[in-house]
Amino acid sequence: MSIIDGLNKNFENRVRLGLMSVLMVNDWVDFTDMKELLNVTDGNLASHSSALEKVEYIEVKKEFVGKKPRTSYRVTQKGRETFQQHLKALEKLLAS
Amino acid sequence: MNQNPYDQLKEIRSLMERSTRFVSLSGWTGVMAGVYSLIGASAAYYVIFKMNFPADDLPQRAEKYDPGRAVNYNYSHGLDDLLSDKNLLLAGIAILVILFSAGTALYQSSVKARMQGVRLWNSTTRRLFVQLIIPLAAGGIFCIALLFYGNAGLIAPAMLVFYGLALLNGSKYTLKEFHSLALCEIALGLISLFFIGYGLYFWAIGFGILHIIYGILMQKRYK
């Protein structure tokens, strides 16, 4: 068995890893809060979040607050399980 | 990604912390709030024990302000008593202490939040605010009712207990020290229930001394 078994390619990026970390411990998190937490640009966050949405690790909600559009994210069950596996793999890697 | 797993895990943990807890708090806020409270308590001491209120001297009213009387069943006390000069003065002092403390907290936190590059008003602070304000508002109304029935002696214990419960409720959304501070405030409030008449001293310890101690502690720890 290879040592990197369980490490997920989708999380091999600082922004995606950060996005998932934040969503694991929060319910809906909106775009602005997320951008600030991860310290990334709009475009950067948008491209990584849509990549995670495509593999159904996160759910994206778009709504209007007054006249302003607001985008929020939430982790899906699939995303939660995958991320936990990824964390376990990281820990295993560290222990070896 | 070229990061080793140790750094990755560290960053994951830090993000989980930062996204759920409000940490842009300065220890100085605690110290200043404690100082305002001590000044307020001294002013209240002067109002309660040194100032003369003609209304207190009327025989039928004299006993009402006896702080040693925890429970006063004379329900004829009402709005007039609630809005007596003394109560209004004390309420004014309390409001000043709260305003100064809240103002300092707001200012210090906004400075620190800017340094950390986060907005002051985000979902974490919103959550913290809601958790704090519900027990605090309940406590405020509770204390007004106590005054309404002339039970001034129970006000300090009630303020300490409700404040402690509010902190306990909010502690999961902010620095972990708040948890033990909350427990201290609750314990102090409960103890003071059995020393009616010394409420002001307990109040000064709970809102003054404890805030200063925790403020210094947090200033040292989180710089």
Side-chain angles (χ1 to χ4, degrees):
Chain A
M1 191 169 99
S2 154
I3 197 157
I4 49 170
D5 249 9
L7 280 182
N8 192 313
K9 267 213 154 18
N10 283 300
F11 301 133
E12 283 184 8
N13 168 286
R14 211 200 115 243
V15 181
R16 289 185 202 180
L17 199 72
L19 239 158
M20 291 303 289
S21 309
V22 172
L23 293 181
M24 288 295 280
V25 289
N26 286 281
D27 197 21
W28 290 102
V29 175
D30 73 22
F31 188 87
T32 329
D33 283 345
M34 187 62 88
K35 200 178 76 177
E36 211 168 65
L37 278 164
L38 302 181
N39 209 1
V40 291
T41 60
D42 285 22
N44 205 351
L45 177 55
S47 72
H48 285 299
S49 60
S50 59
L52 287 175
E53 189 191 10
K54 211 182 247 167
V55 289
E56 291 174 346
Y57 289 173
I58 66 170
E59 213 180 311
V60 180
K61 178 173 73 176
K62 289 186 174 151
E63 61 192 335
F64 277 88
V65 181
K67 281 184 178 170
K68 277 186 169 169
R70 186 171 70 181
T71 307
S72 322
Y73 307 109
R74 183 168 70 172
V75 69
T76 61
Q77 191 54 37
K78 184 179 169 193
R80 191 174 286 279
E81 282 161 12
T82 325
F83 192 70
Q84 263 154 2
Q85 273 167 18
H86 183 73
L87 281 184
K88 269 201 200 112
L90 275 179
E91 275 161 8
K92 230 199 226 153
L93 206 60
L94 198 62
S96 63
Chain B
M1 189 152 84
N2 306 321
Q3 253 181 330
N4 68 47
Y6 179 73
D7 286 337
Q8 282 189 40
L9 284 170
K10 214 165 79 178
E11 183 160 348
I12 290 168
R13 162 162 286 198
S14 138
L15 267 170
M16 286 179 169
E17 279 280 315
R18 260 190 300 147
S19 63
T20 46
R21 286 169 189 269
F22 172 65
V23 292
S24 307
L25 263 173
S26 159
W28 290 119
T29 304
V31 174
M32 289 312 289
V35 170
Y36 301 142
S37 299
L38 288 180
I39 295 171
S42 316
Y45 182 88
Y46 180 80
V47 170
I48 293 171
F49 297 110
K50 301 275 189 256
M51 271 170 87
N52 223 358
F53 291 91
D56 290 1
D57 299 334
L58 296 173
Q60 72 272 26
R61 290 177 158 236
E63 67 173 25
K64 179 175 51 202
Y65 290 112
D66 175 4
R69 260 181 92 98
V71 182
N72 194 324
Y73 292 108
N74 186 351
Y75 289 137
S76 69
H77 300 149
L79 222 49
D80 282 353
D81 302 294
L82 183 66
L83 301 177
S84 70
D85 291 350
K86 187 188 246 171
N87 283 349
L88 289 178
L89 256 174
L90 291 174
I93 293 169
I95 289 169
L96 276 179
V97 170
I98 293 169
L99 282 182
F100 271 96
S101 304
T104 306
L106 213 62
Y107 173 73
Q108 299 263 21
S109 297
S110 70
V111 169
K112 200 150 183 192
R114 204 174 315 133
M115 264 166 36
Q116 296 170 336
V118 296
R119 278 176 311 157
L120 187 59
W121 191 243
N122 56 26
S123 56
T124 315
T125 29
R126 258 197 307 274
R127 242 176 335 202
L128 176 62
F129 181 77
V130 172
Q131 298 299 318
L132 288 177
I133 205 72
I134 294 172
L136 284 181
I141 294 168
F142 195 90
C143 288
I144 291 174
L146 285 177
L147 262 187
F148 187 78
Y149 292 118
N151 294 331
L154 287 171
I155 286 183
M159 283 175 90
L160 285 166
V161 169
F162 276 102
Y163 179 63
L165 290 174
L167 285 185
L168 190 68
N169 207 29
S171 63
K172 55 183 174 294
Y173 297 119
T174 183
L175 300 171
K176 58 183 184 303
E177 281 75 11
F178 274 68
H179 192 255
S180 61
L181 173 61
L183 296 181
C184 289
E185 300 281 4
I186 296 170
L188 200 65
L190 293 179
I191 293 168
S192 73
L193 270 175
F194 298 96
F195 295 90
I196 300 290
Y198 297 93
L200 194 56
Y201 301 105
F202 281 97
W203 195 94
I205 295 171
F207 287 95
I209 313 282
L210 275 181
H211 278 150
I212 293 175
I213 293 173
Y214 268 84
I216 293 171
L217 201 97
M218 290 191 341
Q219 188 62 25
K220 275 192 163 159
R221 203 169 282 177
Y222 297 103
K223 247 204 156 96

mmCIF file of all heavy atoms in Angstrom, chain A residues 39-58:
data_model
loop_
_atom_site.group_PDB
_atom_site.id
_atom_site.type_symbol
_atom_site.label_atom_id
_atom_site.label_comp_id
_atom_site.label_asym_id
_atom_site.label_seq_id
_atom_site.Cartn_x
_atom_site.Cartn_y
_atom_site.Cartn_z
ATOM 1 N N ASN A 39 -7.658 34.771 3.036
ATOM 2 C CA ASN A 39 -6.744 35.774 2.517
ATOM 3 C C ASN A 39 -6.430 35.550 1.036
ATOM 4 O O ASN A 39 -5.266 35.459 0.640
ATOM 5 C CB ASN A 39 -5.455 35.745 3.348
ATOM 6 C CG ASN A 39 -4.795 37.100 3.384
ATOM 7 O OD1 ASN A 39 -5.327 38.054 2.800
ATOM 8 N ND2 ASN A 39 -3.665 37.191 4.051
ATOM 9 N N VAL A 40 -7.475 35.430 0.236
ATOM 10 C CA VAL A 40 -7.301 35.221 -1.201
ATOM 11 C C VAL A 40 -8.130 36.237 -1.988
ATOM 12 O O VAL A 40 -8.962 36.933 -1.417
ATOM 13 C CB VAL A 40 -7.747 33.798 -1.637
ATOM 14 C CG1 VAL A 40 -6.797 32.763 -1.100
ATOM 15 C CG2 VAL A 40 -9.171 33.518 -1.182
ATOM 16 N N THR A 41 -7.897 36.300 -3.289
ATOM 17 C CA THR A 41 -8.662 37.232 -4.122
ATOM 18 C C THR A 41 -10.008 36.619 -4.503
ATOM 19 O O THR A 41 -10.205 35.403 -4.388
ATOM 20 C CB THR A 41 -7.902 37.545 -5.415
ATOM 21 O OG1 THR A 41 -7.712 36.315 -6.119
ATOM 22 C CG2 THR A 41 -6.553 38.186 -5.119
ATOM 23 N N ASP A 42 -10.911 37.469 -4.989
ATOM 24 C CA ASP A 42 -12.240 37.014 -5.420
ATOM 25 C C ASP A 42 -12.157 35.870 -6.437
ATOM 26 O O ASP A 42 -12.778 34.828 -6.279
ATOM 27 C CB ASP A 42 -13.005 38.174 -6.086
ATOM 28 C CG ASP A 42 -13.516 39.172 -5.068
ATOM 29 O OD1 ASP A 42 -12.941 39.198 -3.950
ATOM 30 O OD2 ASP A 42 -14.465 39.910 -5.383
ATOM 31 N N GLY A 43 -11.356 36.120 -7.479
ATOM 32 C CA GLY A 43 -11.283 35.159 -8.576
ATOM 33 C C GLY A 43 -10.716 33.830 -8.127
ATOM 34 O O GLY A 43 -11.200 32.755 -8.522
ATOM 35 N N ASN A 44 -9.701 33.923 -7.296
ATOM 36 C CA ASN A 44 -9.057 32.733 -6.775
ATOM 37 C C ASN A 44 -10.044 31.868 -5.991
ATOM 38 O O ASN A 44 -10.178 30.658 -6.218
ATOM 39 C CB ASN A 44 -7.923 33.196 -5.852
ATOM 40 C CG ASN A 44 -6.845 32.138 -5.737
ATOM 41 O OD1 ASN A 44 -7.027 31.021 -6.194
ATOM 42 N ND2 ASN A 44 -5.729 32.509 -5.127
ATOM 43 N N LEU A 45 -10.781 32.520 -5.103
ATOM 44 C CA LEU A 45 -11.760 31.788 -4.296
ATOM 45 C C LEU A 45 -12.857 31.205 -5.181
ATOM 46 O O LEU A 45 -13.251 30.042 -5.018
ATOM 47 C CB LEU A 45 -12.366 32.711 -3.235
ATOM 48 C CG LEU A 45 -13.463 32.111 -2.357
ATOM 49 C CD1 LEU A 45 -12.982 30.843 -1.675
ATOM 50 C CD2 LEU A 45 -13.919 33.117 -1.312
ATOM 51 N N ALA A 46 -13.322 32.017 -6.131
ATOM 52 C CA ALA A 46 -14.419 31.567 -7.007
ATOM 53 C C ALA A 46 -14.021 30.328 -7.797
ATOM 54 O O ALA A 46 -14.798 29.371 -7.899
ATOM 55 C CB ALA A 46 -14.834 32.689 -7.954
ATOM 56 N N SER A 47 -12.793 30.310 -8.343
ATOM 57 C CA SER A 47 -12.412 29.170 -9.175
ATOM 58 C C SER A 47 -12.246 27.904 -8.323
ATOM 59 O O SER A 47 -12.668 26.827 -8.723
ATOM 60 C CB SER A 47 -11.144 29.483 -9.968
ATOM 61 O OG SER A 47 -10.034 29.509 -9.119
ATOM 62 N N HIS A 48 -11.645 28.067 -7.131
ATOM 63 C CA HIS A 48 -11.468 26.878 -6.297
ATOM 64 C C HIS A 48 -12.787 26.363 -5.721
ATOM 65 O O HIS A 48 -12.991 25.169 -5.585
ATOM 66 C CB HIS A 48 -10.487 27.167 -5.154
ATOM 67 C CG HIS A 48 -9.079 27.225 -5.623
ATOM 68 N ND1 HIS A 48 -8.458 26.160 -6.219
ATOM 69 C CD2 HIS A 48 -8.177 28.235 -5.634
ATOM 70 C CE1 HIS A 48 -7.225 26.503 -6.553
ATOM 71 N NE2 HIS A 48 -7.033 27.772 -6.213
ATOM 72 N N SER A 49 -13.693 27.304 -5.396
ATOM 73 C CA SER A 49 -14.963 26.840 -4.847
ATOM 74 C C SER A 49 -15.786 26.131 -5.916
ATOM 75 O O SER A 49 -16.450 25.142 -5.627
ATOM 76 C CB SER A 49 -15.745 27.998 -4.232
ATOM 77 O OG SER A 49 -16.026 28.972 -5.193
ATOM 78 N N SER A 50 -15.692 26.622 -7.158
ATOM 79 C CA SER A 50 -16.491 25.928 -8.176
ATOM 80 C C SER A 50 -15.894 24.557 -8.491
ATOM 81 O O SER A 50 -16.618 23.628 -8.838
ATOM 82 C CB SER A 50 -16.659 26.779 -9.429
ATOM 83 O OG SER A 50 -15.413 27.100 -9.968
ATOM 84 N N ALA A 51 -14.573 24.434 -8.336
ATOM 85 C CA ALA A 51 -13.961 23.117 -8.525
ATOM 86 C C ALA A 51 -14.467 22.149 -7.468
ATOM 87 O O ALA A 51 -14.788 20.992 -7.775
ATOM 88 C CB ALA A 51 -12.441 23.233 -8.444
ATOM 89 N N LEU A 52 -14.558 22.616 -6.236
ATOM 90 C CA LEU A 52 -15.050 21.751 -5.153
ATOM 91 C C LEU A 52 -16.541 21.459 -5.309
ATOM 92 O O LEU A 52 -17.022 20.398 -4.910
ATOM 93 C CB LEU A 52 -14.778 22.394 -3.787
ATOM 94 C CG LEU A 52 -13.322 22.387 -3.318
ATOM 95 C CD1 LEU A 52 -13.167 23.154 -2.021
ATOM 96 C CD2 LEU A 52 -12.818 20.959 -3.142
ATOM 97 N N GLU A 53 -17.249 22.428 -5.887
ATOM 98 C CA GLU A 53 -18.678 22.212 -6.109
ATOM 99 C C GLU A 53 -18.888 21.133 -7.170
ATOM 100 O O GLU A 53 -19.793 20.305 -7.067
ATOM 101 C CB GLU A 53 -19.341 23.523 -6.548
ATOM 102 C CG GLU A 53 -20.858 23.443 -6.583
ATOM 103 C CD GLU A 53 -21.491 24.641 -7.256
ATOM 104 O OE1 GLU A 53 -20.753 25.448 -7.855
ATOM 105 O OE2 GLU A 53 -22.729 24.767 -7.199
ATOM 106 N N LYS A 54 -18.027 21.161 -8.170
ATOM 107 C CA LYS A 54 -18.154 20.223 -9.281
ATOM 108 C C LYS A 54 -18.024 18.779 -8.800
ATOM 109 O O LYS A 54 -18.738 17.890 -9.280
ATOM 110 C CB LYS A 54 -17.063 20.538 -10.316
ATOM 111 C CG LYS A 54 -17.498 20.220 -11.746
ATOM 112 C CD LYS A 54 -16.367 20.494 -12.706
ATOM 113 C CE LYS A 54 -16.653 21.656 -13.639
ATOM 114 N NZ LYS A 54 -15.422 22.087 -14.335
ATOM 115 N N VAL A 55 -17.119 18.545 -7.857
ATOM 116 C CA VAL A 55 -16.971 17.176 -7.342
ATOM 117 C C VAL A 55 -17.928 16.920 -6.176
ATOM 118 O O VAL A 55 -17.828 15.909 -5.474
ATOM 119 C CB VAL A 55 -15.514 16.880 -6.904
ATOM 120 C CG1 VAL A 55 -14.624 16.775 -8.115
ATOM 121 C CG2 VAL A 55 -15.004 17.963 -5.961
ATOM 122 N N GLU A 56 -18.825 17.870 -5.941
ATOM 123 C CA GLU A 56 -19.883 17.735 -4.925
ATOM 124 C C GLU A 56 -19.353 17.597 -3.505
ATOM 125 O O GLU A 56 -19.919 16.874 -2.694
ATOM 126 C CB GLU A 56 -20.803 16.560 -5.274
ATOM 127 C CG GLU A 56 -21.632 16.845 -6.504
ATOM 128 C CD GLU A 56 -22.446 15.628 -6.957
ATOM 129 O OE1 GLU A 56 -22.154 14.515 -6.482
ATOM 130 O OE2 GLU A 56 -23.363 15.814 -7.758
ATOM 131 N N TYR A 57 -18.248 18.310 -3.226
ATOM 132 C CA TYR A 57 -17.767 18.337 -1.848
ATOM 133 C C TYR A 57 -18.395 19.496 -1.085
ATOM 134 O O TYR A 57 -18.472 19.462 0.131
ATOM 135 C CB TYR A 57 -16.241 18.494 -1.801
ATOM 136 C CG TYR A 57 -15.497 17.269 -2.262
ATOM 137 C CD1 TYR A 57 -14.120 17.297 -2.419
ATOM 138 C CD2 TYR A 57 -16.175 16.080 -2.523
ATOM 139 C CE1 TYR A 57 -13.432 16.172 -2.845
ATOM 140 C CE2 TYR A 57 -15.498 14.961 -2.950
ATOM 141 C CZ TYR A 57 -14.134 15.011 -3.111
ATOM 142 O OH TYR A 57 -13.460 13.901 -3.534
ATOM 143 N N ILE A 58 -18.782 20.528 -1.826
ATOM 144 C CA ILE A 58 -19.469 21.645 -1.187
ATOM 145 C C ILE A 58 -20.734 22.012 -1.960
ATOM 146 O O ILE A 58 -20.905 21.635 -3.114
ATOM 147 C CB ILE A 58 -18.567 22.898 -1.048
ATOM 148 C CG1 ILE A 58 -18.216 23.468 -2.427
ATOM 149 C CG2 ILE A 58 -17.323 22.616 -0.248
ATOM 150 C CD1 ILE A 58 -17.541 24.833 -2.358
#
